Amino acid sequence: MKVVNNVMYIGAYAAPDLVERFGSPLFVYEEAILRERCRELQRLASSAGVIVNYSCKANGNVALLQIIRNEGLNVDAMSPGEIFLELAAGFEPRQILYIGNNVSREELKYAIDAGVRVSVDSLSQLEDFGSLNPGGGVFVRINPGVSDGHHKKVATGEKGKFGVTKDRVGDIKRIAREYNIK
């Protein structure tokens, strides 16, 4: 984005011309900037051995998701709708991590049937996963009881708002054995 003679440009396009052509409100994304941010994240992550996942809840526009996929990022999904959009954008199921919170059995089954990777954040979700997909593989979110955040209402660690508390690891192992979960 740049300003020339008091006119904002997005790439090569003057913002007033875009509004005139497409109407307002108008959301405009500069592809070059999106690609560069994806590449920056990839460079940072590769040196640390980390896989970068884009969270579709930030913006589920299929065209943007296609760019993000082309730049080599994986994606997170919080709902079956997001899984649908990510598959439509060309992501392979193995590139999608479903991390729904407090999901129904139907939502969990949708993710399993779509073949995406699944992460659960409670013992009841792990039980549901096991009964729906015995022998399947799953991630379990562990809450270590350490909290961070600028306000107690957004701090997610100490009170067990998300994830299974570390004192319940034995229950995770028991459920995993019961359903042969990996």
Side-chain angles (χ1 to χ4, degrees):
M1 186 181 79
K2 63 185 175 190
V3 177
V4 177
N5 296 329
N6 250 0
V7 176
M8 181 175 64
Y9 281 80
I10 302 164
Y13 302 96
D17 295 342
L18 292 171
V19 170
E20 185 177 316
R21 180 174 175 193
F22 298 106
S24 175
L26 175 65
F27 293 89
V28 179
Y29 300 90
E30 196 165 345
E31 182 176 343
I33 291 174
L34 176 58
R35 287 187 184 280
E36 182 53 34
R37 294 302 174 266
C38 290
R39 291 172 188 160
E40 287 173 3
L41 288 170
Q42 291 287 63
R43 282 191 298 274
L44 289 169
S46 65
S47 65
V50 173
I51 296 170
V52 178
N53 279 25
Y54 171 77
S55 183
C56 184
K57 70 181 175 182
N59 189 327
N61 180 301
V62 173
L64 296 179
L65 290 172
Q66 289 170 334
I67 292 167
I68 291 164
R69 178 184 49 81
N70 288 336
E71 290 300 329
L73 275 64
N74 289 351
V75 285
D76 287 346
M78 299 293 292
S79 68
E82 289 181 9
I83 293 172
F84 178 84
L85 290 173
E86 293 161 353
L87 292 171
F91 284 95
E92 297 293 327
R94 63 178 168 69
Q95 296 175 296
I96 301 170
L97 177 61
Y98 180 58
I99 54 173
N101 179 263
N102 196 27
V103 300
S104 68
R105 286 180 58 87
E106 292 77 17
E107 291 169 311
L108 193 55
K109 180 150 179 33
Y110 181 92
I112 292 165
D113 290 347
V116 303
R117 297 174 304 142
V118 174
S119 177
V120 298
D121 69 352
S122 70
L123 294 174
S124 62
Q125 277 187 350
L126 185 60
E127 288 267 3
D128 286 345
F129 180 88
S131 69
L132 292 168
N133 193 26
V138 68
F139 295 92
V140 178
R141 182 175 180 174
I142 303 293
N143 183 327
V146 176
S147 187
D148 192 17
H150 63 280
H151 191 277
K152 66 182 179 181
K153 291 190 179 200
V154 296
T156 60
E158 281 182 44
K159 305 253 183 203
K161 181 176 178 181
F162 298 108
V164 180
T165 55
K166 59 187 177 183
D167 62 318
R168 304 298 301 267
V169 169
D171 292 320
I172 294 170
K173 291 178 178 180
R174 176 187 53 76
I175 294 167
R177 279 192 306 273
E178 181 179 340
Y179 295 100
N180 192 31
I181 300 171
K182 297 167 192 60

